[in-house]
Amino acid sequence: MDIPAGVVAALALWPIKSDGARHAQLLTDFFAAQPADTWPGTVREATAAHWVRRPDLISTAAPILRWAEDEHSPDLLYAVRAVALTALKHGVLFHTGASDPAMRSDTDLMSWTITALRHRGDRAWLGEFHTPPELAEAMNRIAIGDNPPTVSSLYECAGGTGGMFRVAAQHLRERNVDPQRWTWHLQELDPVAAAGAAVNFLIWDLGPKATVACGNTLSQPDLYERSLGDRAELDELRDRLVGRAATAAAHLRVLRTLGDLGVSAPRPPARESSQSAA
Ligand SMILES: C[S@@+](CC[C@H](N)C(=O)[O-])C[C@H]1O[C@@H](n2cnc3c(N)ncnc32)[C@H](O)[C@@H]1O
């Protein structure tokens, strides 16, 4: 189920957002025409665009995205395309393609996808029965009220794909409170559901203080602190890699300018001996 969930996630995460049905239809037609062997690349592109901003959420989403790094048989790629066409036919880009995050938060796409794919025995074992949106709305109205503070926090210790947060964020937006100023932390035992929550957090744009931890809330009381530590490490790694890429790009620009001026590129100095090189 990681592959179909990842295909839906990649379409929902596609970084070019716009308002209006015309754009969603154009993008739908574009993706529908893509041949099967291009789909892993599409998934990698959508992933990379978000990794730059939130490497921690993309790392949590890896169980449904990392298959796109591997080689696949034509049969599997045919199936990947069939999943993509089904998601497109059912309007995935109409639900997730708007530039306004409130308009992308109308539905818990990853909940529908993951619970539909899961074997019912596994669902029963996990107790994976997500709160229906109407009930979640009623609970939010009671818990958050009509005058929510501009800054606060919510924690979900068995969060599924984050449907309760979706409704809470919409509740805040309707009352002119920006969910990006709140802290959202979700914990989930199942790696695929945690991956779905991480994807949802990006679609719903819950902001810089939104984190997801995959683990057991009952036996791992420090999951929140761990998720903050992992995030700091991944941000540092991202900064280092982006810094190196920027340096390489600057060198290339200089070499190209020298080439345009007819100056041949300087050769690197030859090493004198193995000892001095060391
Ligand atoms: C009934 S669902 C509720 C999901 C969400 N809170 C909602 O209301 O829609 C329970 C979720 O808790 C997760 N879960 C079960 N035991 C857990 C544990 N010990 N630690 C973290 N998550 C757990 C399951 O995988 C499942 O996704």
Side-chain angles (χ1 to χ4, degrees):
M1 63 185 288
D2 54 335
I3 296 182
V7 173
V8 175
L11 286 168
L13 289 174
W14 190 251
I16 302 168
K17 305 289 183 196
S18 166
D19 287 329
R22 196 177 129 67
H23 176 263
Q25 190 58 54
L26 280 174
L27 209 51
T28 298
D29 295 344
F30 168 77
F31 281 126
Q34 272 201 170
D37 61 353
T38 59
W39 278 97
T42 300
V43 174
R44 289 197 300 270
E45 264 183 65
T47 303
H50 289 277
W51 179 84
V52 171
R53 226 163 32 98
R54 289 300 304 266
D56 59 316
L57 291 180
I58 289 297
S59 166
T60 307
I64 61 171
L65 298 172
R66 66 175 156 232
W67 60 269
E69 305 286 338
D70 302 334
E71 290 280 317
H72 296 289
S73 68
D75 283 353
L76 191 129
L77 293 173
Y78 175 86
V80 165
R81 180 164 187 263
V83 170
L85 291 182
T86 306
L88 291 167
K89 189 173 113 190
H90 288 278
V92 60
L93 296 173
F94 289 82
H95 289 297
T96 58
S99 24
D100 177 359
M103 291 174 71
R104 301 198 297 265
S105 307
D106 251 3
T107 185
D108 182 347
L109 179 74
M110 296 313 293
S111 165
W112 291 112
T113 306
I114 290 168
T115 54
L117 289 167
R118 185 105 64 197
H119 185 276
R120 67 172 183 277
D122 288 345
R123 287 191 68 195
W125 183 83
L126 284 168
E128 189 179 54
F129 301 101
H130 296 162
T131 306
E134 299 77 11
L135 185 55
E137 269 160 38
M139 289 165 75
N140 269 290
R141 225 171 295 132
I142 296 166
I144 299 178
D146 277 330
N147 292 304
T150 46
V151 179
S152 189
S153 42
L154 279 178
Y155 295 82
E156 257 273 36
C157 57
T161 53
M164 293 293 273
F165 282 179
R166 179 189 72 80
V167 175
Q170 292 294 69
H171 183 89
L172 296 181
R173 288 183 179 119
E174 281 158 18
R175 285 154 186 81
N176 297 319
V177 172
D178 184 358
Q180 294 229 350
R181 300 197 59 196
W182 277 43
T183 299
W184 310 87
H185 177 67
L186 180 147
Q187 298 182 177
E188 169 57 47
L189 183 62
D190 176 65
V192 172
V199 168
N200 273 337
F201 278 26
L202 291 166
I203 301 171
W204 303 334
D205 210 7
L206 291 188
K209 287 177 283 178
T211 47
V212 178
C214 181
N216 189 330
T217 298
L218 297 178
S219 60
Q220 296 171 284
D222 59 346
L223 276 178
Y224 179 55
E225 291 73 21
R226 269 204 234 177
S227 71
L228 294 183
D230 291 348
R231 179 173 180 187
E233 269 179 35
L234 287 164
D235 280 352
E236 210 181 294
L237 173 71
R238 184 262 330 267
D239 291 347
R240 241 181 312 150
L241 292 177
V242 170
R244 278 186 210 157
T247 309
H251 286 167
L252 276 179
R253 269 198 304 275
V254 171
L255 290 177
R256 217 170 284 141
T257 311
L258 287 174
D260 289 347
L261 294 172
V263 181
S264 56
R267 287 170 176 277
R271 291 179 175 184
E272 279 170 20
S273 71
S274 58
Q275 208 178 2
S276 61

